[in-house]
Amino acid sequence: MSLLSENIIPGNHGKIFGTNANTVEDLERIKNEILTLEGISEVILNNDIFPKEFTIYTTKLIEVEAVEEKVNNVGFNAIPKSLFAL
């Protein structure tokens, strides 16, 4: 693994995660739980595709595992998507 695959890098590219949550309410619960992490600046939900996705933007380096744990606390899974395009 590498720094890029194990962490969310601060900046305007964010990191996309897939989830098994289906309803808007479940996605909002996930968003609210993730926003409790220090350094998370924004969570954008994508309700238009299946499986549902969300993008996380940060102000500091955040471990992907920390995000996965927060989503697991709500009862769902978060799977990081591929790295951003350079």
Side-chain angles (χ1 to χ4, degrees), residues 42-72:
E42 188 174 14
V43 178
I44 305 293
L45 303 173
N46 187 350
N47 298 318
D48 299 331
I49 61 171
F50 184 83
K52 305 296 185 205
E53 292 181 345
F54 54 90
T55 305
I56 298 176
Y57 298 92
T58 66
T59 58
K60 69 178 195 175
L61 199 66
I62 303 287
E63 292 182 358
V64 168
E65 187 174 301
V67 171
E68 291 172 335
E69 287 176 13
K70 287 290 187 180
V71 175
N72 285 339

Side-chain angles (χ1 to χ4, degrees), residues 8-75:
I8 304 170
I9 308 300
N12 59 359
H13 47 267
K15 186 159 188 88
I16 300 172
F17 290 80
T19 183
N20 60 334
N22 289 317
T23 66
V24 174
E25 293 82 16
D26 290 338
L27 291 169
E28 286 293 330
R29 287 180 33 219
I30 289 172
K31 177 181 178 178
N32 292 335
E33 186 72 17
I34 292 170
L35 286 171
T36 63
L37 285 170
E38 183 181 338
I40 302 291
S41 60
E42 188 174 14
V43 178
I44 305 293
L45 303 173
N46 187 350
N47 298 318
D48 299 331
I49 61 171
F50 184 83
K52 305 296 185 205
E53 292 181 345
F54 54 90
T55 305
I56 298 176
Y57 298 92
T58 66
T59 58
K60 69 178 195 175
L61 199 66
I62 303 287
E63 292 182 358
V64 168
E65 187 174 301
V67 171
E68 291 172 335
E69 287 176 13
K70 287 290 187 180
V71 175
N72 285 339
N73 289 343
V74 182

